[in-house]
Amino acid sequence: MVELLLLLLLLLLPFLLYMAAPQIRKMLSSGVCTSTVQLPGKVVVVTGANTGIGKETAKELAQRGARVYLACRDVEKGELVAKEIQTTTGNQQVLVRKLDLSDTKSIRAFAKGFLAEEKHLHILINNAGVMMCPYSKTADGFEMHIGVNHLGHFLLTHLLLEKLKESAPSRIVNVSSLAHHLGRIHFHNLQGEKFYNAGLAYCHSKLANILFTQELARRLKGSGVTTYSVHPGTVQSELVRHSSFMRWMWWLFSFFIKTPQQGAQTSLHCALTEGLEILSGNHFSDCHVTWVLPNKLVMRHSKAAVTSSCDLAGPHQWTKQAVASWTQEKTAADYTVTSCQSDSSSSGFPNL
C-alpha cells in the first residue's frame, strides 16, 4: 500500500509542480518597479536591447516617453525590435545604433556618433553580456567575458560620462549577477591564458561590474550622476546559448525561471525610482538593496589594478594626482580598474 502511494505521488509530482509553478515564479520574482515616473524629453541608452532583459527594459522606458537608443551588435535584429516597440508603445523615438562591445573601435564609433547626435543623456543601462563562452578573445585581445561584460561597458561609460554629467541628474545601471560571489580578479591571468573556466570567467566579469559601480559612485559623488549594479534574477533569455548544460537546466526549470519582463524590473527600479540617489553605488536584487560579498583577497599588483582598465579607456579620463591618491587608499573597490594613467607595460593589457 505504501509503495502504491509513493508511486502515485511520483506520478503526480510533475503535475503538482506545473500547477504550483506560477506561484513559485511569483515568489522568486517578488521585486516589481512601482515607479510612475514619466520620461518625456529624456534620452536613454540600453546596450543589448534587441533581446531579453534589454528589450523589455527599452520597451518600458519607451512606454514612459523617453527617446531610447537600442545599442546592439545585430542591427538588423535591433531594427525589428525597434519597430515592435514603436508599434506597442506608440513612441516613434526608438532608435537603433551599432555597438559591438567586443571591439573598442565599434564602442568609440558608437560614442562619437551618439555625442554628435544628442545634447543629453539621462540614463545609461549597461545591460549586454555574454555567458559561458568557449575560450575566445575580443578584437583587442581581451578574454571575451571580461572584455564584453566589463571592459566594453567601462569604456562606453567613460566616453559618455561628460554627457551624463551635463545632463544631471542622470543614472548609470550596470547589470551584474548573483554569480559575482564566486568571482575573483586574477591580474596575473586577466586574459585566461594560464587557466580558463567559462563559468568562473563569467563570475569574474560580474564581480568587476560591481566593483566598477562602487568606484564610479565614489568618484561621481556630488556630480549629479548616480550609479547602481543589479542582479536581475535567473531569467529565460539567450544568455545561456553557449552552454548546452545551462540550456538544458533552463528548460528543466523553465516554470520557475523569471520572464525577461520580470528580469527587467530591478534595472527599471534603479533607473526610475525617485529618491534613490542616496543609495548610489549599492547592489540591488528584486528592487531592494542586497548584500555584496566583500572582496578580501590580498592584491599584490595594486598598480595593475589601477591602470589595467584605464589602458582601455585612455589616459585622458583621470589626472595623475587622482591616481596618486587612489593608490594609497586600498579599498575593496581598488581591485577593479578605475583611475586612469597610461602604463601598459605594467597592466598586462594590449595597447589600443
Side-chain angles (χ1 to χ4, degrees):
M1 186 66 180
V2 175
E3 291 82 356
L4 183 61
L5 287 173
L6 288 174
L7 180 60
L8 183 61
L9 181 61
L10 287 173
L11 290 172
L12 288 174
L13 184 60
F15 176 74
L16 293 173
L17 287 174
Y18 176 80
M19 295 300 293
Q23 292 302 318
I24 295 174
R25 185 187 288 125
K26 184 178 180 180
M27 180 181 67
L28 294 175
S29 57
S30 57
V32 176
C33 176
T34 58
S35 172
T36 58
V37 167
Q38 297 299 305
L39 301 172
K42 302 299 184 182
V43 181
V44 179
V45 171
V46 183
T47 68
N50 59 349
T51 187
I53 297 171
K55 175 183 173 181
E56 294 300 326
T57 301
K59 183 189 298 183
E60 180 61 30
L61 296 171
Q63 183 71 56
R64 294 171 185 250
R67 181 175 172 88
V68 181
Y69 282 81
L70 313 184
C72 308
R73 183 172 57 87
D74 188 337
V75 174
E76 185 177 348
K77 188 174 180 180
E79 292 288 359
L80 292 174
V81 170
K83 289 179 182 178
E84 178 187 331
I85 294 175
Q86 289 168 352
T87 302
T88 302
T89 65
N91 183 351
Q92 299 304 305
Q93 297 188 89
V94 181
L95 308 170
V96 180
R97 296 293 181 267
K98 172 77 172 182
L99 175 64
D100 184 350
L101 289 163
S102 68
D103 186 346
T104 58
K105 290 181 180 179
S106 176
I107 299 168
R108 293 181 187 278
F110 170 86
K112 183 178 180 180
F114 177 85
L115 294 174
E117 193 171 359
E118 289 291 342
K119 294 181 179 179
H120 301 286
L121 175 59
H122 301 96
I123 302 173
L124 170 62
I125 299 185
N126 291 321
N127 165 83
V130 294
M131 179 180 179
M132 296 189 72
C133 300
Y135 184 75
S136 57
K137 289 187 176 181
T138 69
D140 304 282
F142 305 120
E143 186 278 317
M144 191 62 69
H145 291 89
I146 199 75
V148 171
N149 296 352
H150 169 57
L151 292 171
H153 284 126
F154 177 96
L155 175 58
L156 177 66
T157 301
H158 280 290
L159 292 174
L160 300 179
L161 198 54
E162 288 305 312
K163 187 66 70 179
L164 285 158
K165 289 179 180 179
E166 292 168 7
S167 308
S170 54
R171 296 186 181 186
I172 301 167
V173 179
N174 295 318
V175 178
S176 182
S177 170
L178 183 69
H180 82 272
H181 288 292
L182 299 177
R184 296 292 183 271
I185 309 299
H186 297 292
F187 290 102
H188 65 287
N189 189 44
L190 281 171
Q191 312 311 328
E193 293 172 337
K194 295 182 179 179
F195 56 87
Y196 180 76
N197 177 281
L200 289 177
Y202 175 75
C203 299
H204 302 334
S205 70
K206 295 292 101 178
L207 173 62
N209 292 154
I210 288 177
L211 298 179
F212 179 45
T213 300
Q214 292 174 343
E215 178 56 19
L216 264 182
R218 190 180 76 86
R219 289 185 174 275
L220 295 174
K221 189 174 183 179
S223 69
V225 184
T226 52
T227 180
Y228 315 88
S229 61
V230 305
H231 167 55
T234 305
V235 180
Q236 188 67 259
S237 72
E238 295 179 6
L239 190 63
V240 297
R241 63 187 179 275
H242 294 292
S243 171
S244 298
F245 173 75
M246 294 300 291
R247 290 201 306 272
W248 180 79
M249 290 293 290
W250 257 235
W251 174 82
L252 185 64
F253 295 102
S254 59
F255 292 124
F256 313 116
I257 291 176
K258 287 184 179 182
T259 64
Q261 183 181 30
Q262 291 169 331
Q265 293 306 302
T266 305
S267 294
L268 291 167
H269 173 79
C270 290
L272 299 170
T273 302
E274 294 176 300
L276 216 61
E277 290 78 10
I278 59 172
L279 297 175
S280 181
N282 276 278
H283 184 57
F284 286 75
S285 177
D286 282 329
C287 300
H288 294 91
V289 173
T290 190
W291 178 73
V292 175
L293 182 68
N295 190 343
K296 297 181 179 179
L297 294 178
V298 177
M299 295 295 177
R300 296 183 179 180
H301 306 291
S302 60
K303 190 173 183 180
V306 171
T307 61
S308 52
S309 284
C310 299
D311 288 333
L312 181 65
H316 61 283
Q317 298 294 339
W318 305 109
T319 66
K320 290 186 178 181
Q321 289 79 7
V323 173
S325 63
W326 168 240
T327 56
Q328 295 172 0
E329 293 184 18
K330 303 290 192 302
T331 65
D334 296 4
Y335 305 138
T336 188
V337 277
T338 44
S339 304
C340 284
Q341 71 176 19
S342 183
D343 188 353
S344 58
S345 62
S346 65
S347 70
F349 282 77
N351 292 316
L352 303 175

